[in-house]
Amino acid sequence: VASKRLESTNDAPNVITVISADDIRRYGARHLRDVIDRLPNAQVIGSTNYPHNRTSLRGVTQTHLDDKILILLNGRPIRDAGQGGVNGDIYSSFPLNLIQQIEIIRGPGSVLYGTNAFSGVMNIVTKQPKNPVEFQIEVQYGSYQSKEVDITGGALLNDFSFMGALNTHNSHGDTFTNTAGEFGPGGNYETSRKSLEAVAQTQYKQLSMNMVINKVEQKAGNNLLTFPSENWTIERRFIDIGYLFDLNEHWHLQTNMTYNGMNNTAGIIGGTDRFFTTKSRGYLGELSLHGNINGHTDIVIGGVYDWLKGNNVSDGTRNTDIDTWRSSFYSQLDYRVNNWLKLNSGFQLNKPEGGDSDIAPRVASIITFNKNYALKLMYDEAYRSPFGLDLFLDAAFLLGNPDLKSETIDTYSAQLIYTKPDSNLALTYYTSRHKDLIVRTINSSGQVTLVNKGHIDYDGIELEYNWTFNPNWSATGNISYQSNETDIGDKDTTFH
């Protein structure tokens, strides 16, 4: 995930954690949330409007939208074009038995992945079939009448392979009785969930396709914890088609067309006739050239065009149309000076419609002292572009601002790694400045709107380890600490 090619975690120019399928099985994880909550400096949080909807990574968490971490499926971006931050369906319903490994970047990743790769990137890598026919079914039953069925299967025939999973879940959930509402009378807060999610990966020679289709209904307490609980409904359609051209032994051209479609409906201010609905469509095209020069230098060069389109309805009375685009050009170069020193540099030039161009750079040095010790020294920048609702929303509760510019973050980090055949230990220090935050304010007409304002400084330390006693027993864990302060002196202001 760090360089869009295979490399060891010690050589990657980012702070990387990899979770394997065996790790997930040993965790006894029920969903992706359980896996993420075990990562260093990470936790899945949400709101009464969007429960369990976002990953708070390194404390960079200002809203309930998951717009500061980018989710990839086999390297391809999953983003809703309307808000850029609705991922509760992925965290609750993605079929875990299909996952081969999860690769997590802690820190900026915009150089190769663009917007939303802000405080981190999470790449979900799916399994590949190993036999002509594979099939597995798992059935679970638990508290609160929870029922789940997970079917995973695949096929391998000459140059054709298919691997997919279907997950269905139905739970009454816990009910919190006699709960005081933030707005209006109190009531019972329900947490039931129904979901159906299908994920598949198909490959024929150099042609590949990734797909996610789902529908998830989660009871939520609306935007101001009002009663009765309403269904928060997500319907996602993600399709990516890619083709790899082998130009020669050392150079390859990857082409991709990616579609992200979502219908998202959530209750606002209570009542069955008051819903906030977004229907967003994103069309992304990408070309990337990968090559090796003289055996010492690896390079990737690419370009992206992202067209965002959709319709948003608030209260069933006001419509907001989205029709905008953004484009970017990126490059990254790895140069191995000798056996103990590797240098990395890269940048992304991004240009949104109607906005100014901006550059997000990266530089890194990776020093390998011996077979046990390595040191990474890195500087990265990342950005989060305004999405359709940020720019154009016309609703009673919020007015978009077409003059918004991207939020940015600058991060210096150092990681010391100790590795042995049966154990590894990594200690990371980072310091970041988050600038031009997109925040809510009240304009001269008394309407709530969005502006760029202020900055937040973050400092943190992360320690993670793994020790394998023997083939049957291992210990793994982490400790992390972060603090932050705004430009006006407020400390620890984020939801982490």
Side-chain angles (χ1 to χ4, degrees), residues 6 33-34 199 206 359 483 489:
L6 290 176
R33 301 201 313 267
D34 281 348
V199 182
Q206 306 293 80
I359 293 179
S483 63

Side-chain angles (χ1 to χ4, degrees), residues 123-423:
N123 184 31
I124 302 171
V125 181
T126 58
K127 294 177 180 177
Q128 298 296 316
K130 299 179 180 179
N131 303 300
V133 178
E134 298 180 11
F135 181 79
Q136 173 184 321
I137 182 167
E138 184 175 287
V139 180
Q140 300 182 43
Y141 182 85
S143 303
Y144 307 112
Q145 300 186 42
S146 298
K147 299 174 285 291
E148 184 166 322
V149 178
D150 191 289
I151 302 171
T152 308
L156 178 62
L157 180 63
N158 298 325
D159 294 324
F160 173 82
S161 68
F162 168 84
M163 199 72 184
L166 179 69
N167 177 280
T168 178
H169 179 97
N170 192 332
S171 173
H172 285 193
D174 201 356
T175 299
F176 299 89
T177 59
N178 300 319
T179 305
E182 184 176 349
F183 183 85
N188 295 338
Y189 183 65
E190 302 174 22
T191 63
S192 64
R193 178 168 64 89
K194 293 193 301 182
S195 65
L196 178 65
E197 179 146 348
V199 182
Q201 202 269 350
T202 305
Q203 184 147 352
Y204 177 70
K205 294 185 177 179
Q206 306 293 80
L207 180 67
S208 64
M209 183 179 75
N210 290 279
M211 180 186 71
V212 178
I213 298 176
N214 68 28
K215 182 175 182 179
V216 179
E217 295 181 353
Q218 168 80 53
K219 285 289 186 181
N222 307 300
N223 62 327
L224 292 177
L225 188 53
T226 56
F227 300 101
S229 299
E230 304 285 355
N231 274 337
W232 170 36
T233 304
I234 300 173
E235 295 180 83
R236 186 188 297 270
R237 303 291 183 266
F238 165 84
I239 300 174
D240 176 83
I241 298 174
Y243 193 88
L244 179 66
F245 295 89
D246 291 322
L247 305 180
N248 57 41
E249 183 181 355
H250 301 290
W251 291 89
H252 312 276
L253 179 66
Q254 177 71 45
T255 64
N256 287 89
M257 292 294 297
T258 307
Y259 170 76
N260 276 291
M262 176 178 286
N263 295 343
N264 175 67
T265 302
I268 58 171
I269 322 180
T272 56
D273 60 341
R274 297 178 67 82
F275 285 97
F276 175 64
T277 302
T278 67
K279 299 177 181 179
S280 58
R281 307 291 181 260
Y283 306 87
L284 184 148
E286 181 171 0
L287 287 173
S288 58
L289 179 67
H290 306 247
N292 180 272
I293 305 172
N294 299 327
H296 298 284
T297 305
D298 290 290
I299 188 170
V300 56
I301 302 170
V304 176
Y305 182 83
D306 194 3
W307 178 34
L308 314 177
K309 189 173 179 62
N311 175 267
N312 303 276
V313 181
S314 173
D315 290 346
T317 57
R318 297 189 185 186
N319 294 336
T320 300
D321 290 324
I322 295 174
D323 191 348
T324 188
W325 56 265
R326 53 177 170 248
S327 60
S328 60
F329 173 83
Y330 60 84
S331 179
Q332 179 173 287
L333 183 143
D334 282 323
Y335 176 62
R336 182 163 292 282
V337 180
N338 48 43
N339 290 333
W340 62 270
L341 179 61
K342 175 183 171 182
L343 303 177
N344 174 278
S345 64
F347 72 93
Q348 176 155 147
L349 173 67
N350 63 89
K351 173 68 171 71
E353 181 183 18
D356 296 329
S357 299
D358 194 18
I359 293 179
R362 165 194 288 168
V363 291
S365 300
I366 302 170
I367 305 165
T368 305
F369 298 107
N370 53 46
K371 64 179 181 179
N372 299 122
Y373 287 95
L375 175 66
K376 297 182 182 182
L377 302 173
M378 295 159 285
Y379 172 77
D380 297 89
E381 294 184 13
Y383 67 95
R384 201 280 286 185
S385 295
F387 273 74
L389 271 72
D390 299 323
L391 298 168
F392 306 116
L393 181 63
D394 181 13
F397 61 89
L398 182 63
L399 185 66
N401 180 359
D403 296 323
L404 287 174
K405 58 182 179 180
S406 297
E407 300 179 78
T408 62
I409 192 167
D410 308 337
T411 299
Y412 294 89
S413 55
Q415 184 178 52
L416 181 64
I417 303 170
Y418 174 72
T419 305
K420 291 181 67 176
D422 62 350
S423 61

Side-chain angles (χ1 to χ4, degrees), residues 45-53 63-65 189 220-223 232:
I45 65 170
S47 68
T48 57
N49 209 187
Y50 292 162
H52 310 300
N53 181 63
T63 78
H64 64 176
L65 291 175
Y189 183 65
N222 307 300
N223 62 327
W232 170 36

